[in-house]
């Protein structure tokens, strides 16, 4: 119904088709652009930047989150600093990242990393802390060492929360990707959207928006599939 409304509202004059062309025309323009070999390079560049920042966030936030969630005195000590950094607006930091890393790939990765690291970190801390205390106490009562308790009890129960943080982070990575590519980039979907705006190529602008939305959906599906695979021991409860 949404796509039908998008298709016919401009055709019937309900929306100015100069600013919102019919959906079919946008698809045709996207196919033509892809067949000309111009779309795929932009997609690959953007995916590389988003994946780089996201991957760096995962490999740093998950171990740090496990450490802070498992050792509460350590988390209490660092919590004020973490809260201060977490509340810092990433867009306001963009000029600072440019000063440190220059205009280019490193800045794109750094700004994406900044927005993805926090939901993953908080999700990991929450997941580690929300392990079933009854299971933890039982494991300790039978003499299991902390290392085994973490591997057998805490880590499996923390996976859903970690994946939830990663899903949020994946969404944020594509949002910040557009911002980073709109400034100081000569390639990528964000650059494509801004350049299309300047050239008044409205069809191409919406092609970039749709491709970004599809990439976000694909990343979310992939993480959901990963969660199901890692938590196959869980049982779904259907009302």
């Amino acid at each position: 119904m949404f796509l039908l409304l998008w298709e016919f509202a401009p055709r019937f004059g309900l929306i100015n088709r100069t600013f919102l062309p019919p959906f079919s025309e946008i698809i045709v323009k996207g196919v033509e652009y892809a067949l000309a070999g111009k779309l795929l390079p932009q997609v690959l560049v953007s995916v590389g930047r988003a994946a780089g920042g996201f991957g760096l966030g995962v490999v740093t936030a998950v171990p740090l989150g496990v450490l802070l969630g498992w050792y509460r005195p350590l988390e209490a000590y660092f919590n004020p600093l973490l809260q201060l950094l977490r509340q810092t607006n990433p867009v306001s930091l963009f000029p600072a990242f440019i000063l440190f890393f220059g205009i280019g790939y490193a800045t794109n990765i750094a700004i994406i990393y900044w927005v993805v690291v926090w939901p993953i970190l908080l999700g990991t801390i929450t997941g580690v802390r929300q392990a079933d205390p009854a299971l933890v106490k039982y494991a300790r009562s039978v003499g299991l060492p902390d290392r085994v308790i973490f591997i057998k009890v805490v880590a499996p129960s923390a996976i859903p929360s970690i994946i939830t943080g990663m899903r949020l982070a994946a969404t944020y990575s594509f949002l910040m990707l557009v911002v980073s590519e709109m400034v100081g980039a000569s390639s990528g979907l964000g650059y494509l959207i801004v350049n299309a705006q300047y050239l008044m190529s409205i069809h191409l602008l919406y092609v970039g928006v749709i491709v970004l939305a599809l990439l976000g959906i694909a990343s979310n599906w992939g993480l959901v599939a990963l969660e199901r695979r890692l938590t196959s021991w869980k049982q779904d409860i259907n009302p």
Side-chain angles (χ1 to χ4, degrees), residues 72-94:
R72 297 202 175 191
L74 188 64
E75 193 272 340
Y77 183 79
F78 283 104
N79 185 63
L81 177 61
L82 293 176
Q83 293 300 326
L84 174 65
L85 295 176
R86 186 173 71 90
Q87 298 299 332
T88 304
N89 191 309
V91 178
S92 66
L93 290 175
F94 198 77

Side-chain angles (χ1 to χ4, degrees), residues 1-17 20-24 26:
M1 292 179 64
F2 170 74
L3 295 180
L4 288 175
L5 181 62
W6 188 347
E7 176 67 27
F8 291 109
R11 294 187 183 277
F12 292 148
L14 301 177
I15 299 177
N16 190 338
R17 64 187 299 158
L20 184 65
F23 181 73
S24 60
I26 296 172

Side-chain angles (χ1 to χ4, degrees), residues 46 167 234:
S46 291
R167 290 171 64 183
K234 294 175 60 178

Side-chain angles (χ1 to χ4, degrees), residues 40-54 105 109 112 173-174 177 181 188-189 211-212 215:
L40 183 60
Q42 308 288 3
V43 173
L44 293 178
V45 168
S46 291
V47 169
R49 289 168 178 161
F54 180 81
Y105 181 78
I109 295 296
I112 293 172
S173 68
F174 285 110
L177 171 69
E181 290 181 341
L189 293 172
V211 171
L212 278 171
L215 290 175

Side-chain angles (χ1 to χ4, degrees), residues 186-201:
S186 58
S187 60
L189 293 172
Y191 168 79
L192 173 66
I193 292 172
V194 173
N195 193 51
Q197 177 192 6
Y198 289 151
L199 299 177
M200 285 301 293
S201 181

Side-chain angles (χ1 to χ4, degrees), residues 31-183:
V31 171
E32 292 175 353
Y33 196 70
L35 292 178
K38 299 179 180 179
L39 181 60
L40 183 60
Q42 308 288 3
V43 173
L44 293 178
V45 168
S46 291
V47 169
R49 289 168 178 161
F54 180 81
L56 187 61
V58 171
V59 299
T60 57
V62 172
L64 181 59
V66 169
L67 187 64
L68 296 177
W70 189 249
Y71 299 102
R72 297 202 175 191
L74 188 64
E75 193 272 340
Y77 183 79
F78 283 104
N79 185 63
L81 177 61
L82 293 176
Q83 293 300 326
L84 174 65
L85 295 176
R86 186 173 71 90
Q87 298 299 332
T88 304
N89 191 309
V91 178
S92 66
L93 290 175
F94 198 77
F97 282 117
I98 293 177
L99 290 176
F100 277 101
F101 303 107
I103 296 177
Y105 181 78
T107 298
N108 299 133
I109 295 296
I111 196 67
I112 293 172
Y113 168 77
W114 185 266
V115 298
V116 306
V117 69
W118 304 114
I120 300 175
L121 178 64
L122 295 177
T124 304
I125 293 174
T126 301
V128 171
R129 285 188 171 182
Q130 289 182 346
D132 191 339
L135 292 178
V136 174
K137 289 180 180 179
Y138 174 77
R140 284 176 174 164
S141 69
V142 297
L144 294 179
D146 285 347
R147 180 180 63 83
V148 177
I149 293 174
F150 178 81
I151 294 174
K152 297 294 186 179
V153 179
V154 177
S157 65
I159 288 175
S161 183
I162 296 174
I163 297 296
T164 298
M166 292 171 63
R167 290 171 64 183
L168 290 173
T171 300
Y172 296 158
S173 68
F174 285 110
L175 293 175
M176 191 50 61
L177 171 69
V178 176
V179 176
S180 66
E181 290 181 341
M182 284 181 175
V183 181

